[in-house]
Amino acid sequence: MMIHGNTVADGTPVQEASAEQWAEVLDVMVDAGYTSIDPTDTWIQIADLSPARLEEFARTVTAAGLTIPAFSTSRRSVVDPDLGDEHLAYGHRAIDACAAIGIPLVSFGFMRALTPAQAKAMWFWHEPGPVDDPAPEARARAVARIQELARHAAEVGVQVSLEMYEDTYLGTADSAVRFVEEVGLDNVGLNPDFGNFLRLHRPIEDWWYVAEKTMPLANYWHLKNYLRDFDPATGAYFSHPAPLESGTINYRKVIRYAVESGFRGAFCVEHYGGDSISVGATNREYIRRVLPRTIPTP
């Protein structure tokens, strides 16, 4: 996952940067051993590049020796009370951009912009964020909007993945599975990013339960891990980002189960804090070590 921020070294927005400036950032990823990236719209909004600039971006990525198996959108909920319509239109543009340059999958979610308290916190998950409206009619509207995006995506040969995130319609294993079933389209699956839950300073679902419920529907996967602890004397929870092999989730077990369940999507390594690029590279090599040597037929 590209975690470089939305400006290049001289302060130019990535959207307006030259191909040479894009290449400088991509070279950092190549030097760290990556062969594929998820550009993410926290780095560059490919949905809002002109056709000529979009092609220029695609050529720059190819020239760097990289491929793009997926594009993730971030904090652009299509049911945001204030920006939902705008984000829905953006989602359609993202699908068209992916189709235009051969990106086979786009990841959407219902997380919204950070609150002021989250933005000020040491780690944003220390503060509660927005909560999706639980009313049946509100959930039905969310389903309808994802169906709209997914039908468009199917028309242009793109898959849709839905990222799990706390306090959204994809905020628990059961709710996420039910949501995909309610959408009911073959090109829609889950991005079971249960690292989003592990870091929360409150009771959470067991990570293995989440894996068992969601992996059979997964078509893309953001992976990150955290150390998690609980002090029963005070009721306090603690969490901190960790490499995949060092955190609370046993990713060796989960990755094997995912593959045995039929997962054939891309693994997107993600990490907060420190040298995220190098930790991601460590995570990449860990995944390669623990992948089953023989891929079973689902």
Side-chain angles (χ1 to χ4, degrees), residues 147-253:
Q147 287 173 329
E148 178 183 329
L149 289 173
R151 290 189 180 104
H152 174 191
E155 290 171 357
V156 294
V158 171
Q159 285 193 320
V160 168
S161 196
L162 301 175
E163 181 179 350
M164 296 182 69
Y165 196 89
E166 75 269 11
D167 299 326
T168 73
Y169 299 122
L170 307 168
T172 68
D174 290 342
S175 181
V177 168
R178 190 169 84 251
F179 193 94
V180 171
E181 292 171 346
E182 288 167 350
V183 171
L185 297 172
D186 290 341
N187 66 323
V188 178
L190 280 176
N191 174 354
D193 187 353
F194 36 73
N196 287 335
F197 307 140
L198 188 70
R199 64 195 178 196
L200 299 176
H201 288 194
R202 67 193 198 202
I204 60 170
E205 288 184 297
D206 177 74
W207 57 264
W208 181 244
Y209 175 79
V210 178
E212 287 186 304
K213 291 286 292 190
T214 62
M215 280 303 163
L217 293 175
N219 61 353
Y220 187 46
W221 193 1
H222 291 174
L223 295 90
K224 52 183 176 284
N225 212 347
Y226 295 83
L227 295 168
R228 180 176 173 85
D229 196 10
F230 172 66
D231 180 3
T234 63
Y237 291 88
F238 306 90
S239 64
H240 194 279
L244 290 187
E245 62 189 306
S246 304
T248 297
I249 296 171
N250 180 348
Y251 273 104
R252 179 185 295 271
K253 180 178 180 180

